[in-house]
Amino acid sequence: MIKCLAIDDEPLALRQLSTYIEKIPYLELVASCPSALEAQRLMEQDVVDAIFIDINMPDLNGMDFVKSLAVPPLVVFTTAYSEYAVEGYKVDAVDYLLKPFGMNDFQRAAQRVKERYDRQNTATISPVDTDDALFLKTEYKVVRISISDIRYVEGMSEYLKIFVEGRAKPVIVLLSMKKMEENLPAGTFMRIHRSYIINLRKIQEVNKNRVIMDEETYLPIGDNYKEQFTQWLQSKFLGK
């Protein structure tokens, strides 16, 4: 299922958009949002795959909202103003629906979302090779990641964020934590929380129930993983 948000400040338009999403069998409506600000709060808590969003909204318009996202989901813009179409495609929108639109127009846009989703969100991972690398499919490309450069992995629902040295942004893939854990060397990587796998060689400090990777990254140690991590840490102590 493709997890979606409907975003429109007009109540009738939002209701219509939500109804259309619910009628498409491969779309799942996560929430209906009357503003981009509310959508922003929801997306900080959960990952969504696609948004259907009006452009003309108060406070934060749809175009500026999409441009503000570090890793935007698939986007379908809706608006009554055709002059926004070109600008919409500049931010790699999947489609553009000109109001008023009917179910046939929406089905066309939904199908384009599904085709794009199927292409870019099917992640694959190779076994560890002799070059100390993994190959991950993300968006439209396959990227090579040196295992030794991985700092930590964060789980987000069905997705993973892989934080790699030398990359300003994490690599985001559709993959399970279990699958990732199986393909990382156990002597170097350890799961310390249901949402985190860390490179043990990248730890800077351990403070109470947190692992400090750098001055801005403090990762919690989960209760179910504390014993294993503590045993590893004690094995590294010098002296008493």
Side-chain angles (χ1 to χ4, degrees), residues 6-235:
I7 310 165
D8 200 309
D9 66 308
E10 298 177 4
L12 290 178
L14 182 59
R15 189 181 309 160
Q16 179 196 47
L17 192 57
S18 302
T19 299
Y20 284 171
I21 291 173
E22 290 175 330
K23 288 182 177 180
I24 302 295
Y26 49 81
L27 300 183
E28 176 188 348
L29 180 64
V30 174
S32 299
C33 303
S35 71
L37 293 175
E38 182 171 328
Q40 192 174 51
R41 287 191 289 270
L42 284 170
M43 291 173 68
E44 287 172 354
Q45 300 169 10
D46 199 3
V47 173
V48 297
D49 304 306
I51 57 175
F52 295 81
I53 182 169
D54 186 34
I55 293 177
N56 283 68
M57 293 186 292
D59 298 324
L60 179 61
N61 72 50
M63 191 71 66
D64 290 339
F65 171 62
V66 172
K67 289 178 180 177
S68 74
L69 298 173
V71 185
L74 302 175
V75 178
V76 175
F77 285 116
T78 68
T79 187
Y81 302 94
S82 59
E83 62 265 27
Y84 285 110
V86 172
E87 190 177 355
Y89 287 115
K90 285 181 181 178
V91 296
D92 196 28
V94 176
D95 207 350
Y96 175 94
L97 290 169
L98 184 62
K99 296 179 180 180
F101 55 87
M103 187 61 186
N104 287 340
D105 294 323
F106 185 83
Q107 284 178 317
R108 181 203 69 220
Q111 182 60 35
R112 289 181 176 175
V113 168
K114 184 178 186 302
E115 290 169 358
R116 180 84 70 92
Y117 177 85
D118 289 343
R119 284 200 307 268
Q120 78 177 44
N121 286 322
T122 303
T124 56
I125 185 168
S126 78
V128 178
D129 65 14
T130 55
D131 196 28
D132 181 43
L134 297 176
F135 291 86
L136 293 160
K137 186 175 181 182
T138 175
E139 298 180 345
Y140 300 107
K141 55 188 180 292
V142 175
V143 297
R144 176 188 178 279
I145 296 177
S146 174
I147 292 174
S148 59
D149 287 340
I150 296 174
R151 299 176 60 242
Y152 66 96
V153 179
E154 180 181 0
M156 299 173 57
S157 188
E158 300 99 340
Y159 294 82
L160 298 182
K161 279 185 177 182
I162 304 172
F163 293 82
V164 183
E165 286 187 347
R167 288 179 180 263
K169 296 180 179 179
V171 177
I172 298 181
V173 296
L174 182 64
L175 199 67
S176 70
M177 287 287 277
K178 185 175 185 297
K179 181 78 170 178
M180 190 67 185
E181 196 172 8
E182 289 171 352
N183 283 273
L184 293 172
T188 305
F189 289 84
M190 183 179 293
R191 192 165 181 176
I192 61 164
H193 187 275
R194 64 183 181 86
S195 299
Y196 294 104
I197 300 170
I198 63 168
N199 186 335
L200 297 168
R201 295 176 180 175
K202 306 296 183 182
I203 295 173
Q204 290 191 2
E205 186 178 330
V206 179
N207 188 336
K208 297 181 179 178
N209 291 325
R210 299 182 301 178
V211 172
I212 301 173
M213 306 301 287
D214 57 51
E215 60 184 18
E216 296 180 350
T217 308
Y218 293 66
L219 305 181
I221 303 169
D223 290 341
N224 293 336
Y225 304 89
K226 187 180 298 183
E227 183 178 353
Q228 180 187 11
F229 180 75
T230 300
Q231 288 176 356
W232 173 84
L233 189 63
Q234 289 175 344
S235 73

